[in-house]
Amino acid sequence: MNLPPRVTDRAFARLAEIADLTGQQKSLRVAVEGGGCSGFQYDIKLDDPAADDLVLEKDGQRVLVDQVSLPFLSNAVIDFTEELIGARFVIENPNAASSCGCGTSFSI
C-alpha cells in the first residue's frame, strides 16, 4: 500500500530551529531527481509551497513533496540526524533497492 512519507518530530524541530535562526518561515522541500551515482538522487532544500504539493505539517512547520516525487517517497521516513560526518536531513526509503555511501543517491 502506498502511504505518504512520514516526517519525524526531530525533522520538524530542526525546521523550527532553522526558521528561528534565519528569521524566515520556509518549508522543507524533498524531491527526487534523476542522476546521482545510483540513478536517482534526493534534492532537499528550503522552498515555498507550490499549488500541487503534498504538504506535511506539524506545529506550523511544513515539509513539501511534489507530485512527481511522491511515488518514489511512498512509505519513506524523513528524519534529521546529527553524526560525526555532520548534521543533515536524511530519508529512510523502503523503495530504494540500493543506495550509495553518501545517502543522497539511490536506485529502485
Side-chain angles (χ1 to χ4, degrees), residues 35-83:
C37 42
S38 298
F40 294 98
Q41 62 187 1
Y42 299 113
D43 182 26
I44 301 173
K45 62 186 176 190
L46 296 176
D47 201 4
D48 294 314
D52 63 345
D53 283 339
L54 169 71
V55 179
L56 305 162
E57 189 166 0
K58 181 176 182 178
D59 299 331
Q61 303 304 315
R62 294 181 298 196
V63 174
L64 314 171
V65 181
D66 65 84
Q67 293 299 315
V68 174
S69 300
L70 198 51
F72 296 104
L73 295 168
S74 174
N75 301 313
V77 176
I78 299 163
D79 196 5
F80 182 78
T81 183
E82 295 184 60
E83 302 170 347

Side-chain angles (χ1 to χ4, degrees), residues 2-21:
N2 286 349
L3 295 171
R6 186 175 65 79
V7 182
T8 66
D9 290 343
R10 268 192 312 213
F12 279 124
R14 180 60 183 148
L15 262 180
E17 289 174 9
I18 291 170
D20 287 344
L21 288 171

